[in-house]
Amino acid sequence: MEEEEANNLSSAEEATEETPVTFKSLGIVDVLCEACEQLKWKAPTLIQKESIPVALDGKDVIGLAETGSGKTGSFALPILQSLLDTPQRLFALVLTPTRELAFQISEQFEALGAGIGVKTAVVVGGIDMMTQALMLAKKPHVIIATPGRLVDHLENTKGFNLRNLKYLVMDEADRILNMDFEQEVDKILKVIPRERNTYLYSATMTKKVQKLQRASLRNPVKVEVSSKYQTVEKLQQFYIFLPVKYKDVYLVYILNELAGNSFIIFCSTCANTQRVALMLRNLGMTAVPLHGQMSQTKRLGALNKFKSKNRSILIATDVASRGLDIPHVDVVINLDIPTHSKDYIHRVGRTARAGRSGKSITFVSQYDVELYQRIEHLINKKLPLYKTEEEEVMMLMERVSEAQRHAKMEMNDTTDGKKKKRHRDEGDTEESRGVRKKMKMKKKGR
Ligand code: AMP
């Protein structure tokens, strides 16, 4: 697994060990090679090695590669090189599905083209049309746009057209089409010259992408790199957007709703792992914590309980879950979002293994939006929202608050050293057992 998650970029470097391929040897001119050096791009990535020579040869490219593979460089470098040969305004258009991607692409163009004074404009929704119209009036060399907003400008901004465009890039074409931008893309294709070069990049080759390929590319050369960041198909991934203060109550709601399954709940700290385990135990759930402050023996003990199905909920930190053979689980819950997007793949990879299906639900609070966007960017997918009934969730509030309060008290007691170590590692205390008993009785009495 760890190995599988190795970076695409480093594998490119490995592959170059015997006959070192450089940007120069691919045909990139010195000024752009220097820009790569400035960016600390030591060697071309696989997709760059495959596609740059084809593009420099003047051919259309269809690239099957994901974000993270270095694909932006693989189309930006040939475009910039061609721009150097035949300087012209409104030279290239890059269509991309999201605002975030548009800005990232523009940054790479600006960085790679810093030495040659390239001007770019980002044309995306959510930004004032007038400001964009003024930017377009300055005639940048490269426009990076989401299809909807670009069509708006093509239809409504006086004096703006792309009749002399030389390069069209469709980045993440599968996502563009999945987001129902098909009509907009068609409109754009109608108002740009047929005499042009087209690069189409997509993570997957869907029917829609094939159709678009036939409609817009001429004798393209297909280049492909296998991605190591893919999550398996049988994995249903969801997210929940919620205020941070409601994380626990939503967690309990989901655990109840999906009762009968086995779960791993990921937390970012040992303390939170411990706290959540105590809280769930106070609610009568069979939860076991697994974190780095437990000895290896205790960790294995916890894991064995989980494996032997004595416990159906494992609450773990990333560190604790590494290197241990955690069995198949039905549901992975990211109670705390991973700070490193790669950990997301690692976490959700705990389910939907060996052809079985699985679910993952990622909690996204008001503080996690950026991290979450990075995950979506990495996995190249927009995840659906996990449906919950807010009213039903809120009905659990009182019981969860009480369990939280007791968990907190138990945590304080434990850190005070009043409780036995045995119980501490296990996430269980005499008090928690007492509270549990009390709560069970309460539940029965209802
Ligand atoms: P992309 O797949 O185009 O979004 O690129 C992913 C990341 O890889 C970006 O941060 C790039 O700056 C970086 N990158 C692209 N090409 C190279 C390279 N040849 N060497 C090192 N990093 C690179």
Side-chain angles (χ1 to χ4, degrees), residues 9 23 41-45 48 66-73 108:
L9 302 178
F23 285 105
W41 294 6
K42 293 194 181 103
T45 65
Q48 289 164 357
E66 305 209 343
T67 296
S69 59
K71 67 183 162 65
T72 314
Q108 286 203 40

Side-chain angles (χ1 to χ4, degrees), residues 23 32-42:
F23 285 105
L32 292 173
C33 288
E34 277 160 29
C36 293
E37 241 168 68
Q38 292 270 319
L39 288 176
K40 305 213 163 29
W41 294 6
K42 293 194 181 103

